[in-house]
């Protein structure tokens, strides 16, 4: 994996954690959601976001996938990329 891609994935993970914590106002979400890692596709068109939490992981993943458009828009404001990847949230294993 290239250093540039790894940096982008790490930056995306940090920003996504901040967006989820600071911007999402869904009371169904647990207080603590961890972004374990982000895997970008080679063309940066899509990303798989691995999340963990101490409770209600299935509900959490469903809520985040439902809110992916909002989260992508927020990510677009914070990252300097030509193309913001389409996000898909999954449970970290």
């Amino acid at each position: 994996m290239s250093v540039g891609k790894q940096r982008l994935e790490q930056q995306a993970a940090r920003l996504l954690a901040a967006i989820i914590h600071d911007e999402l106002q869904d009371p169904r979400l647990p207080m603590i959601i961890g972004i374990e890692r982000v895997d970008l596709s080679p063309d940066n068109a899509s990303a798989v976001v691995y999340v963990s939490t101490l409770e209600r992981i299935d509900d959490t993943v469903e809520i985040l996938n439902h809110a992916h458009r909002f989260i992508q828009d927020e990510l677009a404001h914070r990252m300097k990329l030509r193309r913001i990847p389409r996000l898909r949230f999954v449970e970290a294993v």
Side-chain angles (χ1 to χ4, degrees), residues 10-47:
Q10 291 171 348
Q11 179 186 19
R14 283 191 307 274
L15 291 172
L16 287 168
I19 291 166
I20 290 167
H21 182 266
D22 299 338
E23 304 296 333
L24 282 185
Q25 303 296 319
D26 194 318
R28 298 173 296 166
L29 287 173
M31 291 288 290
I32 299 173
I33 299 173
I35 303 297
E36 298 299 321
R37 74 179 192 273
V38 175
D39 289 341
L40 285 169
S41 65
D43 62 356
N44 293 343
S46 63

Short mmCIF file of all heavy atoms in Angstrom, two decimals, residues 10-47:
data_model
loop_
_atom_site.label_atom_id
_atom_site.label_comp_id
_atom_site.label_asym_id
_atom_site.label_seq_id
_atom_site.Cartn_x
_atom_site.Cartn_y
_atom_site.Cartn_z
N GLN A 10 -6.03 7.18 6.96
CA GLN A 10 -5.92 7.62 8.35
C GLN A 10 -6.61 8.97 8.57
O GLN A 10 -7.29 9.16 9.57
CB GLN A 10 -4.45 7.69 8.77
CG GLN A 10 -3.80 6.33 8.87
CD GLN A 10 -2.29 6.41 9.07
OE1 GLN A 10 -1.68 7.47 8.93
NE2 GLN A 10 -1.70 5.27 9.40
N GLN A 11 -6.43 9.88 7.63
CA GLN A 11 -7.10 11.19 7.73
C GLN A 11 -8.61 11.02 7.68
O GLN A 11 -9.33 11.62 8.46
CB GLN A 11 -6.62 12.11 6.61
CG GLN A 11 -7.30 13.48 6.66
CD GLN A 11 -6.95 14.36 5.47
OE1 GLN A 11 -6.49 13.88 4.43
NE2 GLN A 11 -7.17 15.65 5.62
N ALA A 12 -9.08 10.18 6.77
CA ALA A 12 -10.52 9.94 6.66
C ALA A 12 -11.06 9.34 7.96
O ALA A 12 -12.13 9.74 8.43
CB ALA A 12 -10.82 9.02 5.48
N ALA A 13 -10.33 8.41 8.56
CA ALA A 13 -10.77 7.79 9.81
C ALA A 13 -10.89 8.84 10.91
O ALA A 13 -11.88 8.85 11.65
CB ALA A 13 -9.81 6.68 10.21
N ARG A 14 -9.90 9.70 11.03
CA ARG A 14 -9.95 10.75 12.07
C ARG A 14 -11.13 11.70 11.84
O ARG A 14 -11.86 12.04 12.77
CB ARG A 14 -8.65 11.55 12.08
CG ARG A 14 -7.49 10.86 12.75
CD ARG A 14 -6.32 11.80 12.98
NE ARG A 14 -5.88 12.50 11.78
CZ ARG A 14 -5.02 12.03 10.89
NH1 ARG A 14 -4.49 10.83 11.06
NH2 ARG A 14 -4.67 12.73 9.83
N LEU A 15 -11.30 12.12 10.60
CA LEU A 15 -12.39 13.06 10.29
C LEU A 15 -13.76 12.41 10.46
O LEU A 15 -14.69 13.05 10.97
CB LEU A 15 -12.23 13.60 8.87
CG LEU A 15 -11.03 14.53 8.66
CD1 LEU A 15 -10.87 14.85 7.18
CD2 LEU A 15 -11.19 15.80 9.48
N LEU A 16 -13.89 11.16 10.05
CA LEU A 16 -15.17 10.47 10.22
C LEU A 16 -15.52 10.32 11.70
O LEU A 16 -16.68 10.50 12.09
CB LEU A 16 -15.14 9.11 9.53
CG LEU A 16 -15.18 9.15 8.01
CD1 LEU A 16 -14.84 7.79 7.43
CD2 LEU A 16 -16.53 9.64 7.52
N ALA A 17 -14.53 10.01 12.53
CA ALA A 17 -14.78 9.90 13.96
C ALA A 17 -15.29 11.23 14.51
O ALA A 17 -16.25 11.27 15.29
CB ALA A 17 -13.52 9.46 14.69
N ALA A 18 -14.68 12.33 14.09
CA ALA A 18 -15.10 13.65 14.56
C ALA A 18 -16.50 14.00 14.05
O ALA A 18 -17.33 14.52 14.81
CB ALA A 18 -14.10 14.71 14.11
N ILE A 19 -16.78 13.70 12.80
CA ILE A 19 -18.10 13.99 12.22
C ILE A 19 -19.18 13.20 12.95
O ILE A 19 -20.22 13.76 13.33
CB ILE A 19 -18.12 13.68 10.71
CG1 ILE A 19 -17.24 14.68 9.95
CG2 ILE A 19 -19.55 13.68 10.17
CD1 ILE A 19 -16.92 14.26 8.53
N ILE A 20 -18.94 11.92 13.15
CA ILE A 20 -19.95 11.09 13.82
C ILE A 20 -20.17 11.57 15.25
O ILE A 20 -21.31 11.67 15.72
CB ILE A 20 -19.53 9.60 13.77
CG1 ILE A 20 -19.63 9.10 12.33
CG2 ILE A 20 -20.37 8.75 14.71
CD1 ILE A 20 -18.97 7.76 12.09
N HIS A 21 -19.10 11.89 15.93
CA HIS A 21 -19.22 12.32 17.32
C HIS A 21 -19.85 13.71 17.45
O HIS A 21 -20.70 13.94 18.31
CB HIS A 21 -17.84 12.31 17.99
CG HIS A 21 -17.88 12.68 19.43
ND1 HIS A 21 -17.68 13.97 19.86
CD2 HIS A 21 -18.13 11.95 20.54
CE1 HIS A 21 -17.80 14.02 21.17
NE2 HIS A 21 -18.07 12.80 21.61
N ASP A 22 -19.43 14.64 16.59
CA ASP A 22 -19.84 16.05 16.74
C ASP A 22 -21.08 16.44 15.97
O ASP A 22 -21.80 17.35 16.39
CB ASP A 22 -18.70 16.97 16.30
CG ASP A 22 -17.44 16.79 17.13
OD1 ASP A 22 -17.54 16.29 18.27
OD2 ASP A 22 -16.35 17.14 16.64
N GLU A 23 -21.34 15.80 14.84
CA GLU A 23 -22.39 16.29 13.94
C GLU A 23 -23.66 15.45 13.92
O GLU A 23 -24.74 15.98 13.68
CB GLU A 23 -21.85 16.40 12.51
CG GLU A 23 -20.62 17.27 12.38
CD GLU A 23 -20.87 18.73 12.71
OE1 GLU A 23 -22.01 19.20 12.56
OE2 GLU A 23 -19.91 19.39 13.15
N LEU A 24 -23.55 14.15 14.11
CA LEU A 24 -24.75 13.31 14.06
C LEU A 24 -25.54 13.48 15.34
O LEU A 24 -25.01 13.35 16.44
CB LEU A 24 -24.38 11.84 13.87
CG LEU A 24 -24.02 11.42 12.47
CD1 LEU A 24 -23.80 9.92 12.41
CD2 LEU A 24 -25.05 11.81 11.45
N GLN A 25 -26.81 13.77 15.19
CA GLN A 25 -27.65 14.05 16.34
C GLN A 25 -28.68 12.94 16.58
O GLN A 25 -29.75 13.21 17.10
CB GLN A 25 -28.39 15.39 16.12
CG GLN A 25 -27.48 16.57 15.88
CD GLN A 25 -26.61 16.87 17.07
OE1 GLN A 25 -27.06 16.82 18.21
NE2 GLN A 25 -25.35 17.18 16.82
N ASP A 26 -28.36 11.72 16.22
CA ASP A 26 -29.30 10.62 16.36
C ASP A 26 -29.19 10.02 17.76
O ASP A 26 -28.15 9.47 18.12
CB ASP A 26 -29.01 9.54 15.30
CG ASP A 26 -30.14 8.55 15.16
OD1 ASP A 26 -30.68 8.14 16.20
OD2 ASP A 26 -30.46 8.19 14.03
N PRO A 27 -30.25 10.12 18.56
CA PRO A 27 -30.18 9.61 19.94
C PRO A 27 -30.05 8.08 20.02
O PRO A 27 -29.72 7.57 21.09
CB PRO A 27 -31.50 10.09 20.55
CG PRO A 27 -32.41 10.31 19.41
CD PRO A 27 -31.54 10.71 18.24
N ARG A 28 -30.28 7.39 18.93
CA ARG A 28 -30.14 5.93 18.93
C ARG A 28 -28.69 5.47 18.89
O ARG A 28 -28.40 4.32 19.18
CB ARG A 28 -30.90 5.33 17.74
CG ARG A 28 -32.39 5.61 17.76
CD ARG A 28 -33.04 5.15 16.49
NE ARG A 28 -32.51 5.94 15.37
CZ ARG A 28 -32.66 5.62 14.09
NH1 ARG A 28 -33.31 4.52 13.75
NH2 ARG A 28 -32.17 6.38 13.14
N LEU A 29 -27.79 6.38 18.52
CA LEU A 29 -26.38 6.01 18.44
C LEU A 29 -25.77 5.92 19.83
O LEU A 29 -26.07 6.74 20.70
CB LEU A 29 -25.61 7.05 17.62
CG LEU A 29 -25.84 7.03 16.11
CD1 LEU A 29 -25.16 8.22 15.46
CD2 LEU A 29 -25.35 5.73 15.51
N PRO A 30 -24.89 4.93 20.04
CA PRO A 30 -24.20 4.85 21.33
C PRO A 30 -23.25 6.04 21.50
O PRO A 30 -22.86 6.68 20.53
CB PRO A 30 -23.43 3.54 21.25
CG PRO A 30 -23.54 3.05 19.86
CD PRO A 30 -24.56 3.86 19.15
N MET A 31 -22.90 6.30 22.74
CA MET A 31 -22.01 7.43 23.05
C MET A 31 -20.64 7.27 22.40
O MET A 31 -20.04 8.23 21.96
CB MET A 31 -21.84 7.57 24.57
CG MET A 31 -23.09 8.01 25.28
SD MET A 31 -23.48 9.73 24.96
CE MET A 31 -22.18 10.53 25.85
N ILE A 32 -20.13 6.05 22.38
CA ILE A 32 -18.79 5.82 21.87
C ILE A 32 -18.85 4.92 20.65
O ILE A 32 -19.34 3.79 20.72
CB ILE A 32 -17.88 5.19 22.94
CG1 ILE A 32 -17.77 6.12 24.14
CG2 ILE A 32 -16.51 4.87 22.37
CD1 ILE A 32 -17.04 5.52 25.31
N ILE A 33 -18.37 5.46 19.53
CA ILE A 33 -18.26 4.70 18.29
C ILE A 33 -16.82 4.82 17.84
O ILE A 33 -16.31 5.92 17.66
CB ILE A 33 -19.20 5.24 17.20
CG1 ILE A 33 -20.66 5.14 17.64
CG2 ILE A 33 -18.97 4.51 15.88
CD1 ILE A 33 -21.63 5.80 16.70
N GLY A 34 -16.17 3.68 17.66
CA GLY A 34 -14.79 3.69 17.21
C GLY A 34 -14.69 3.43 15.71
O GLY A 34 -15.37 2.57 15.19
N ILE A 35 -13.87 4.22 15.06
CA ILE A 35 -13.55 3.97 13.65
C ILE A 35 -12.25 3.18 13.66
O ILE A 35 -11.19 3.73 13.95
CB ILE A 35 -13.39 5.28 12.85
CG1 ILE A 35 -14.64 6.15 12.95
CG2 ILE A 35 -13.03 4.97 11.40
CD1 ILE A 35 -15.88 5.55 12.36
N GLU A 36 -12.35 1.88 13.41
CA GLU A 36 -11.17 1.01 13.48
C GLU A 36 -10.22 1.24 12.31
O GLU A 36 -9.02 1.30 12.49
CB GLU A 36 -11.59 -0.45 13.54
CG GLU A 36 -12.42 -0.79 14.75
CD GLU A 36 -11.70 -0.55 16.07
OE1 GLU A 36 -10.49 -0.83 16.14
OE2 GLU A 36 -12.34 -0.06 17.01
N ARG A 37 -10.80 1.35 11.12
CA ARG A 37 -9.98 1.65 9.94
C ARG A 37 -10.90 2.00 8.77
O ARG A 37 -12.08 1.73 8.79
CB ARG A 37 -9.05 0.51 9.58
CG ARG A 37 -9.68 -0.69 8.95
CD ARG A 37 -8.62 -1.75 8.63
NE ARG A 37 -9.15 -2.77 7.77
CZ ARG A 37 -9.80 -3.85 8.20
NH1 ARG A 37 -9.99 -4.03 9.49
NH2 ARG A 37 -10.25 -4.75 7.34
N VAL A 38 -10.28 2.58 7.75
CA VAL A 38 -10.97 2.91 6.50
C VAL A 38 -10.17 2.28 5.38
O VAL A 38 -8.95 2.44 5.32
CB VAL A 38 -11.06 4.44 6.31
CG1 VAL A 38 -11.65 4.79 4.96
CG2 VAL A 38 -11.86 5.09 7.44
N ASP A 39 -10.84 1.54 4.51
CA ASP A 39 -10.19 0.95 3.34
C ASP A 39 -10.73 1.64 2.09
O ASP A 39 -11.89 1.47 1.74
CB ASP A 39 -10.46 -0.55 3.25
CG ASP A 39 -9.73 -1.35 4.30
OD1 ASP A 39 -8.75 -0.83 4.88
OD2 ASP A 39 -10.11 -2.50 4.55
N LEU A 40 -9.88 2.43 1.45
CA LEU A 40 -10.25 3.11 0.21
C LEU A 40 -10.04 2.19 -0.98
O LEU A 40 -9.07 1.42 -1.02
CB LEU A 40 -9.39 4.36 0.01
CG LEU A 40 -9.71 5.56 0.88
CD1 LEU A 40 -8.61 6.61 0.75
CD2 LEU A 40 -11.05 6.16 0.49
N SER A 41 -10.93 2.30 -1.96
CA SER A 41 -10.72 1.58 -3.21
C SER A 41 -9.55 2.23 -3.95
O SER A 41 -9.18 3.37 -3.66
CB SER A 41 -12.00 1.62 -4.07
OG SER A 41 -12.28 2.95 -4.46
N PRO A 42 -8.94 1.52 -4.91
CA PRO A 42 -7.78 2.08 -5.63
C PRO A 42 -8.06 3.42 -6.31
O PRO A 42 -7.17 4.26 -6.38
CB PRO A 42 -7.45 1.00 -6.66
CG PRO A 42 -7.95 -0.27 -6.05
CD PRO A 42 -9.19 0.12 -5.29
N ASP A 43 -9.29 3.64 -6.75
CA ASP A 43 -9.61 4.91 -7.42
C ASP A 43 -10.26 5.93 -6.47
O ASP A 43 -10.71 6.98 -6.91
CB ASP A 43 -10.52 4.67 -8.62
CG ASP A 43 -11.86 4.05 -8.23
OD1 ASP A 43 -12.06 3.74 -7.03
OD2 ASP A 43 -12.71 3.88 -9.12
N ASN A 44 -10.30 5.63 -5.19
CA ASN A 44 -10.89 6.49 -4.16
C ASN A 44 -12.38 6.75 -4.37
O ASN A 44 -12.94 7.70 -3.83
CB ASN A 44 -10.16 7.83 -4.03
CG ASN A 44 -8.76 7.69 -3.51
OD1 ASN A 44 -8.41 6.66 -2.96
ND2 ASN A 44 -7.95 8.71 -3.69
N ALA A 45 -13.04 5.92 -5.15
CA ALA A 45 -14.46 6.11 -5.42
C ALA A 45 -15.33 5.57 -4.29
O ALA A 45 -16.47 6.02 -4.11
CB ALA A 45 -14.86 5.44 -6.73
N SER A 46 -14.81 4.63 -3.52
CA SER A 46 -15.59 4.06 -2.43
C SER A 46 -14.67 3.74 -1.26
O SER A 46 -13.46 3.61 -1.43
CB SER A 46 -16.34 2.81 -2.88
OG SER A 46 -15.43 1.81 -3.26
N ALA A 47 -15.29 3.63 -0.09
CA ALA A 47 -14.52 3.30 1.10
C ALA A 47 -15.37 2.45 2.02
O ALA A 47 -16.56 2.69 2.18
CB ALA A 47 -14.09 4.57 1.83
#
